Amino acid sequence: MKKALRKNAVPFKMDCSIKLFKHRTAGVREYWIVDLLKKTVVVYHFETDDYAEYSFADKVPAGIYEDFEIDFTQVDIS
């Protein structure tokens, strides 16, 4: 699981393109991008070639672990 926190536009764009590609080609099964400004989480599931979008009001399941999720309502992101 990889998490990228958006602090400024250039590194965030790298997380959404270059790093995403590198992690996928390296065999990482799941890649998370957490956008603090939009309060969203995008989870890329490389094994199924799919992705899911969540808000900070959601519980986000980790697809690579059974019965594991992160409740973003309980996470202090300030």
mmCIF file with all atom_site columns, all heavy atoms in Angstrom, residues 34-50:
data_model
loop_
_atom_site.group_PDB
_atom_site.id
_atom_site.type_symbol
_atom_site.label_atom_id
_atom_site.label_alt_id
_atom_site.label_comp_id
_atom_site.label_asym_id
_atom_site.label_entity_id
_atom_site.label_seq_id
_atom_site.pdbx_PDB_ins_code
_atom_site.Cartn_x
_atom_site.Cartn_y
_atom_site.Cartn_z
_atom_site.occupancy
_atom_site.B_iso_or_equiv
_atom_site.pdbx_formal_charge
_atom_site.auth_seq_id
_atom_site.auth_comp_id
_atom_site.auth_asym_id
_atom_site.auth_atom_id
_atom_site.pdbx_PDB_model_num
ATOM 1   N N   . VAL A 1 34 ? -3.920  9.779  -1.588  1.00 0.00 ? 34 VAL A N   1
ATOM 2   C CA  . VAL A 1 34 ? -4.747  10.554 -0.662  1.00 0.00 ? 34 VAL A CA  1
ATOM 3   C C   . VAL A 1 34 ? -4.574  12.024 -1.011  1.00 0.00 ? 34 VAL A C   1
ATOM 4   O O   . VAL A 1 34 ? -3.472  12.549 -0.964  1.00 0.00 ? 34 VAL A O   1
ATOM 5   C CB  . VAL A 1 34 ? -4.340  10.288 0.810   1.00 0.00 ? 34 VAL A CB  1
ATOM 6   C CG1 . VAL A 1 34 ? -5.161  11.144 1.757   1.00 0.00 ? 34 VAL A CG1 1
ATOM 7   C CG2 . VAL A 1 34 ? -4.483  8.803  1.140   1.00 0.00 ? 34 VAL A CG2 1
ATOM 8   N N   . ASP A 1 35 ? -5.666  12.669 -1.377  1.00 0.00 ? 35 ASP A N   1
ATOM 9   C CA  . ASP A 1 35 ? -5.647  14.086 -1.750  1.00 0.00 ? 35 ASP A CA  1
ATOM 10  C C   . ASP A 1 35 ? -6.232  14.892 -0.591  1.00 0.00 ? 35 ASP A C   1
ATOM 11  O O   . ASP A 1 35 ? -7.448  14.872 -0.359  1.00 0.00 ? 35 ASP A O   1
ATOM 12  C CB  . ASP A 1 35 ? -6.461  14.290 -3.022  1.00 0.00 ? 35 ASP A CB  1
ATOM 13  C CG  . ASP A 1 35 ? -6.357  15.693 -3.578  1.00 0.00 ? 35 ASP A CG  1
ATOM 14  O OD1 . ASP A 1 35 ? -6.181  16.649 -2.781  1.00 0.00 ? 35 ASP A OD1 1
ATOM 15  O OD2 . ASP A 1 35 ? -6.455  15.851 -4.803  1.00 0.00 ? 35 ASP A OD2 1
ATOM 16  N N   . LEU A 1 36 ? -5.361  15.580 0.132   1.00 0.00 ? 36 LEU A N   1
ATOM 17  C CA  . LEU A 1 36 ? -5.791  16.351 1.296   1.00 0.00 ? 36 LEU A CA  1
ATOM 18  C C   . LEU A 1 36 ? -6.663  17.547 0.926   1.00 0.00 ? 36 LEU A C   1
ATOM 19  O O   . LEU A 1 36 ? -7.549  17.926 1.692   1.00 0.00 ? 36 LEU A O   1
ATOM 20  C CB  . LEU A 1 36 ? -4.578  16.827 2.094   1.00 0.00 ? 36 LEU A CB  1
ATOM 21  C CG  . LEU A 1 36 ? -3.719  15.740 2.737   1.00 0.00 ? 36 LEU A CG  1
ATOM 22  C CD1 . LEU A 1 36 ? -2.496  16.355 3.394   1.00 0.00 ? 36 LEU A CD1 1
ATOM 23  C CD2 . LEU A 1 36 ? -4.529  14.961 3.746   1.00 0.00 ? 36 LEU A CD2 1
ATOM 24  N N   . LEU A 1 37 ? -6.424  18.135 -0.229  1.00 0.00 ? 37 LEU A N   1
ATOM 25  C CA  . LEU A 1 37 ? -7.197  19.307 -0.623  1.00 0.00 ? 37 LEU A CA  1
ATOM 26  C C   . LEU A 1 37 ? -8.621  18.943 -1.041  1.00 0.00 ? 37 LEU A C   1
ATOM 27  O O   . LEU A 1 37 ? -9.577  19.629 -0.680  1.00 0.00 ? 37 LEU A O   1
ATOM 28  C CB  . LEU A 1 37 ? -6.495  20.060 -1.752  1.00 0.00 ? 37 LEU A CB  1
ATOM 29  C CG  . LEU A 1 37 ? -5.127  20.650 -1.401  1.00 0.00 ? 37 LEU A CG  1
ATOM 30  C CD1 . LEU A 1 37 ? -4.519  21.350 -2.605  1.00 0.00 ? 37 LEU A CD1 1
ATOM 31  C CD2 . LEU A 1 37 ? -5.237  21.620 -0.232  1.00 0.00 ? 37 LEU A CD2 1
ATOM 32  N N   . LYS A 1 38 ? -8.763  17.871 -1.783  1.00 0.00 ? 38 LYS A N   1
ATOM 33  C CA  . LYS A 1 38 ? -10.090 17.437 -2.230  1.00 0.00 ? 38 LYS A CA  1
ATOM 34  C C   . LYS A 1 38 ? -10.759 16.496 -1.235  1.00 0.00 ? 38 LYS A C   1
ATOM 35  O O   . LYS A 1 38 ? -11.922 16.152 -1.408  1.00 0.00 ? 38 LYS A O   1
ATOM 36  C CB  . LYS A 1 38 ? -9.990  16.746 -3.581  1.00 0.00 ? 38 LYS A CB  1
ATOM 37  C CG  . LYS A 1 38 ? -9.594  17.667 -4.713  1.00 0.00 ? 38 LYS A CG  1
ATOM 38  C CD  . LYS A 1 38 ? -9.571  16.915 -6.017  1.00 0.00 ? 38 LYS A CD  1
ATOM 39  C CE  . LYS A 1 38 ? -9.169  17.815 -7.169  1.00 0.00 ? 38 LYS A CE  1
ATOM 40  N NZ  . LYS A 1 38 ? -9.102  17.060 -8.429  1.00 0.00 ? 38 LYS A NZ  1
ATOM 41  N N   . LYS A 1 39 ? -9.991  16.060 -0.233  1.00 0.00 ? 39 LYS A N   1
ATOM 42  C CA  . LYS A 1 39 ? -10.474 15.117 0.782   1.00 0.00 ? 39 LYS A CA  1
ATOM 43  C C   . LYS A 1 39 ? -11.011 13.846 0.124   1.00 0.00 ? 39 LYS A C   1
ATOM 44  O O   . LYS A 1 39 ? -12.121 13.390 0.383   1.00 0.00 ? 39 LYS A O   1
ATOM 45  C CB  . LYS A 1 39 ? -11.512 15.767 1.689   1.00 0.00 ? 39 LYS A CB  1
ATOM 46  C CG  . LYS A 1 39 ? -10.930 16.923 2.482   1.00 0.00 ? 39 LYS A CG  1
ATOM 47  C CD  . LYS A 1 39 ? -11.911 17.484 3.454   1.00 0.00 ? 39 LYS A CD  1
ATOM 48  C CE  . LYS A 1 39 ? -11.215 18.610 4.238   1.00 0.00 ? 39 LYS A CE  1
ATOM 49  N NZ  . LYS A 1 39 ? -12.061 19.211 5.222   1.00 0.00 ? 39 LYS A NZ  1
ATOM 50  N N   . THR A 1 40 ? -10.158 13.307 -0.751  1.00 0.00 ? 40 THR A N   1
ATOM 51  C CA  . THR A 1 40 ? -10.511 12.077 -1.452  1.00 0.00 ? 40 THR A CA  1
ATOM 52  C C   . THR A 1 40 ? -9.369  11.068 -1.364  1.00 0.00 ? 40 THR A C   1
ATOM 53  O O   . THR A 1 40 ? -8.218  11.420 -1.114  1.00 0.00 ? 40 THR A O   1
ATOM 54  C CB  . THR A 1 40 ? -10.804 12.335 -2.936  1.00 0.00 ? 40 THR A CB  1
ATOM 55  O OG1 . THR A 1 40 ? -9.650  12.917 -3.543  1.00 0.00 ? 40 THR A OG1 1
ATOM 56  C CG2 . THR A 1 40 ? -11.998 13.244 -3.127  1.00 0.00 ? 40 THR A CG2 1
ATOM 57  N N   . VAL A 1 41 ? -9.737  9.817  -1.586  1.00 0.00 ? 41 VAL A N   1
ATOM 58  C CA  . VAL A 1 41 ? -8.773  8.722  -1.646  1.00 0.00 ? 41 VAL A CA  1
ATOM 59  C C   . VAL A 1 41 ? -9.089  7.934  -2.915  1.00 0.00 ? 41 VAL A C   1
ATOM 60  O O   . VAL A 1 41 ? -10.232 7.536  -3.130  1.00 0.00 ? 41 VAL A O   1
ATOM 61  C CB  . VAL A 1 41 ? -8.885  7.782  -0.424  1.00 0.00 ? 41 VAL A CB  1
ATOM 62  C CG1 . VAL A 1 41 ? -7.877  6.653  -0.515  1.00 0.00 ? 41 VAL A CG1 1
ATOM 63  C CG2 . VAL A 1 41 ? -8.728  8.555  0.879   1.00 0.00 ? 41 VAL A CG2 1
ATOM 64  N N   . VAL A 1 42 ? -8.084  7.742  -3.749  1.00 0.00 ? 42 VAL A N   1
ATOM 65  C CA  . VAL A 1 42 ? -8.249  6.908  -4.937  1.00 0.00 ? 42 VAL A CA  1
ATOM 66  C C   . VAL A 1 42 ? -7.384  5.670  -4.722  1.00 0.00 ? 42 VAL A C   1
ATOM 67  O O   . VAL A 1 42 ? -6.189  5.779  -4.429  1.00 0.00 ? 42 VAL A O   1
ATOM 68  C CB  . VAL A 1 42 ? -7.835  7.640  -6.226  1.00 0.00 ? 42 VAL A CB  1
ATOM 69  C CG1 . VAL A 1 42 ? -7.996  6.725  -7.433  1.00 0.00 ? 42 VAL A CG1 1
ATOM 70  C CG2 . VAL A 1 42 ? -8.632  8.914  -6.402  1.00 0.00 ? 42 VAL A CG2 1
ATOM 71  N N   . VAL A 1 43 ? -8.002  4.511  -4.842  1.00 0.00 ? 43 VAL A N   1
ATOM 72  C CA  . VAL A 1 43 ? -7.298  3.245  -4.650  1.00 0.00 ? 43 VAL A CA  1
ATOM 73  C C   . VAL A 1 43 ? -7.256  2.523  -5.989  1.00 0.00 ? 43 VAL A C   1
ATOM 74  O O   . VAL A 1 43 ? -8.306  2.222  -6.573  1.00 0.00 ? 43 VAL A O   1
ATOM 75  C CB  . VAL A 1 43 ? -7.998  2.365  -3.592  1.00 0.00 ? 43 VAL A CB  1
ATOM 76  C CG1 . VAL A 1 43 ? -7.228  1.064  -3.402  1.00 0.00 ? 43 VAL A CG1 1
ATOM 77  C CG2 . VAL A 1 43 ? -8.141  3.107  -2.269  1.00 0.00 ? 43 VAL A CG2 1
ATOM 78  N N   . TYR A 1 44 ? -6.048  2.279  -6.476  1.00 0.00 ? 44 TYR A N   1
ATOM 79  C CA  . TYR A 1 44 ? -5.851  1.547  -7.726  1.00 0.00 ? 44 TYR A CA  1
ATOM 80  C C   . TYR A 1 44 ? -5.596  0.085  -7.391  1.00 0.00 ? 44 TYR A C   1
ATOM 81  O O   . TYR A 1 44 ? -4.684  -0.233 -6.629  1.00 0.00 ? 44 TYR A O   1
ATOM 82  C CB  . TYR A 1 44 ? -4.673  2.125  -8.508  1.00 0.00 ? 44 TYR A CB  1
ATOM 83  C CG  . TYR A 1 44 ? -4.939  3.522  -9.016  1.00 0.00 ? 44 TYR A CG  1
ATOM 84  C CD1 . TYR A 1 44 ? -4.617  4.628  -8.248  1.00 0.00 ? 44 TYR A CD1 1
ATOM 85  C CD2 . TYR A 1 44 ? -5.541  3.724  -10.255 1.00 0.00 ? 44 TYR A CD2 1
ATOM 86  C CE1 . TYR A 1 44 ? -4.881  5.916  -8.704  1.00 0.00 ? 44 TYR A CE1 1
ATOM 87  C CE2 . TYR A 1 44 ? -5.805  5.001  -10.715 1.00 0.00 ? 44 TYR A CE2 1
ATOM 88  C CZ  . TYR A 1 44 ? -5.462  6.097  -9.932  1.00 0.00 ? 44 TYR A CZ  1
ATOM 89  O OH  . TYR A 1 44 ? -5.730  7.361  -10.385 1.00 0.00 ? 44 TYR A OH  1
ATOM 90  N N   . HIS A 1 45 ? -6.403  -0.795 -7.976  1.00 0.00 ? 45 HIS A N   1
ATOM 91  C CA  . HIS A 1 45 ? -6.268  -2.240 -7.791  1.00 0.00 ? 45 HIS A CA  1
ATOM 92  C C   . HIS A 1 45 ? -5.650  -2.797 -9.078  1.00 0.00 ? 45 HIS A C   1
ATOM 93  O O   . HIS A 1 45 ? -6.361  -3.030 -10.062 1.00 0.00 ? 45 HIS A O   1
ATOM 94  C CB  . HIS A 1 45 ? -7.629  -2.886 -7.542  1.00 0.00 ? 45 HIS A CB  1
ATOM 95  C CG  . HIS A 1 45 ? -8.396  -2.264 -6.431  1.00 0.00 ? 45 HIS A CG  1
ATOM 96  N ND1 . HIS A 1 45 ? -8.151  -2.556 -5.111  1.00 0.00 ? 45 HIS A ND1 1
ATOM 97  C CD2 . HIS A 1 45 ? -9.396  -1.339 -6.431  1.00 0.00 ? 45 HIS A CD2 1
ATOM 98  C CE1 . HIS A 1 45 ? -8.974  -1.855 -4.350  1.00 0.00 ? 45 HIS A CE1 1
ATOM 99  N NE2 . HIS A 1 45 ? -9.730  -1.097 -5.124  1.00 0.00 ? 45 HIS A NE2 1
ATOM 100 N N   . PHE A 1 46 ? -4.342  -2.999 -9.057  1.00 0.00 ? 46 PHE A N   1
ATOM 101 C CA  . PHE A 1 46 ? -3.658  -3.396 -10.274 1.00 0.00 ? 46 PHE A CA  1
ATOM 102 C C   . PHE A 1 46 ? -3.962  -4.832 -10.696 1.00 0.00 ? 46 PHE A C   1
ATOM 103 O O   . PHE A 1 46 ? -3.924  -5.147 -11.877 1.00 0.00 ? 46 PHE A O   1
ATOM 104 C CB  . PHE A 1 46 ? -2.150  -3.207 -10.123 1.00 0.00 ? 46 PHE A CB  1
ATOM 105 C CG  . PHE A 1 46 ? -1.752  -1.760 -9.937  1.00 0.00 ? 46 PHE A CG  1
ATOM 106 C CD1 . PHE A 1 46 ? -0.795  -1.421 -9.007  1.00 0.00 ? 46 PHE A CD1 1
ATOM 107 C CD2 . PHE A 1 46 ? -2.323  -0.753 -10.680 1.00 0.00 ? 46 PHE A CD2 1
ATOM 108 C CE1 . PHE A 1 46 ? -0.407  -0.100 -8.825  1.00 0.00 ? 46 PHE A CE1 1
ATOM 109 C CE2 . PHE A 1 46 ? -1.955  0.575  -10.513 1.00 0.00 ? 46 PHE A CE2 1
ATOM 110 C CZ  . PHE A 1 46 ? -0.987  0.899  -9.582  1.00 0.00 ? 46 PHE A CZ  1
ATOM 111 N N   . GLU A 1 47 ? -4.270  -5.709 -9.741  1.00 0.00 ? 47 GLU A N   1
ATOM 112 C CA  . GLU A 1 47 ? -4.554  -7.101 -10.089 1.00 0.00 ? 47 GLU A CA  1
ATOM 113 C C   . GLU A 1 47 ? -5.828  -7.230 -10.917 1.00 0.00 ? 47 GLU A C   1
ATOM 114 O O   . GLU A 1 47 ? -5.943  -8.117 -11.754 1.00 0.00 ? 47 GLU A O   1
ATOM 115 C CB  . GLU A 1 47 ? -4.663  -7.952 -8.825  1.00 0.00 ? 47 GLU A CB  1
ATOM 116 C CG  . GLU A 1 47 ? -3.341  -8.109 -8.099  1.00 0.00 ? 47 GLU A CG  1
ATOM 117 C CD  . GLU A 1 47 ? -3.468  -8.901 -6.816  1.00 0.00 ? 47 GLU A CD  1
ATOM 118 O OE1 . GLU A 1 47 ? -4.431  -8.680 -6.059  1.00 0.00 ? 47 GLU A OE1 1
ATOM 119 O OE2 . GLU A 1 47 ? -2.587  -9.751 -6.577  1.00 0.00 ? 47 GLU A OE2 1
ATOM 120 N N   . THR A 1 48 ? -6.795  -6.350 -10.677 1.00 0.00 ? 48 THR A N   1
ATOM 121 C CA  . THR A 1 48 ? -8.064  -6.401 -11.407 1.00 0.00 ? 48 THR A CA  1
ATOM 122 C C   . THR A 1 48 ? -8.188  -5.276 -12.434 1.00 0.00 ? 48 THR A C   1
ATOM 123 O O   . THR A 1 48 ? -9.224  -5.147 -13.080 1.00 0.00 ? 48 THR A O   1
ATOM 124 C CB  . THR A 1 48 ? -9.253  -6.322 -10.431 1.00 0.00 ? 48 THR A CB  1
ATOM 125 O OG1 . THR A 1 48 ? -9.160  -5.101 -9.688  1.00 0.00 ? 48 THR A OG1 1
ATOM 126 C CG2 . THR A 1 48 ? -9.265  -7.511 -9.494  1.00 0.00 ? 48 THR A CG2 1
ATOM 127 N N   . ASP A 1 49 ? -7.136  -4.469 -12.555 1.00 0.00 ? 49 ASP A N   1
ATOM 128 C CA  . ASP A 1 49 ? -7.121  -3.344 -13.491 1.00 0.00 ? 49 ASP A CA  1
ATOM 129 C C   . ASP A 1 49 ? -8.327  -2.433 -13.275 1.00 0.00 ? 49 ASP A C   1
ATOM 130 O O   . ASP A 1 49 ? -9.056  -2.081 -14.209 1.00 0.00 ? 49 ASP A O   1
ATOM 131 C CB  . ASP A 1 49 ? -7.075  -3.851 -14.935 1.00 0.00 ? 49 ASP A CB  1
ATOM 132 C CG  . ASP A 1 49 ? -6.568  -2.785 -15.894 1.00 0.00 ? 49 ASP A CG  1
ATOM 133 O OD1 . ASP A 1 49 ? -5.774  -1.930 -15.469 1.00 0.00 ? 49 ASP A OD1 1
ATOM 134 O OD2 . ASP A 1 49 ? -6.983  -2.801 -17.064 1.00 0.00 ? 49 ASP A OD2 1
ATOM 135 N N   . ASP A 1 50 ? -8.529  -2.054 -12.008 1.00 0.00 ? 50 ASP A N   1
ATOM 136 C CA  . ASP A 1 50 ? -9.678  -1.253 -11.619 1.00 0.00 ? 50 ASP A CA  1
ATOM 137 C C   . ASP A 1 50 ? -9.234  -0.216 -10.589 1.00 0.00 ? 50 ASP A C   1
ATOM 138 O O   . ASP A 1 50 ? -8.124  -0.288 -10.054 1.00 0.00 ? 50 ASP A O   1
ATOM 139 C CB  . ASP A 1 50 ? -10.746 -2.167 -11.016 1.00 0.00 ? 50 ASP A CB  1
ATOM 140 C CG  . ASP A 1 50 ? -12.118 -1.516 -10.954 1.00 0.00 ? 50 ASP A CG  1
ATOM 141 O OD1 . ASP A 1 50 ? -12.311 -0.460 -11.570 1.00 0.00 ? 50 ASP A OD1 1
ATOM 142 O OD2 . ASP A 1 50 ? -12.977 -2.076 -10.265 1.00 0.00 ? 50 ASP A OD2 1
#
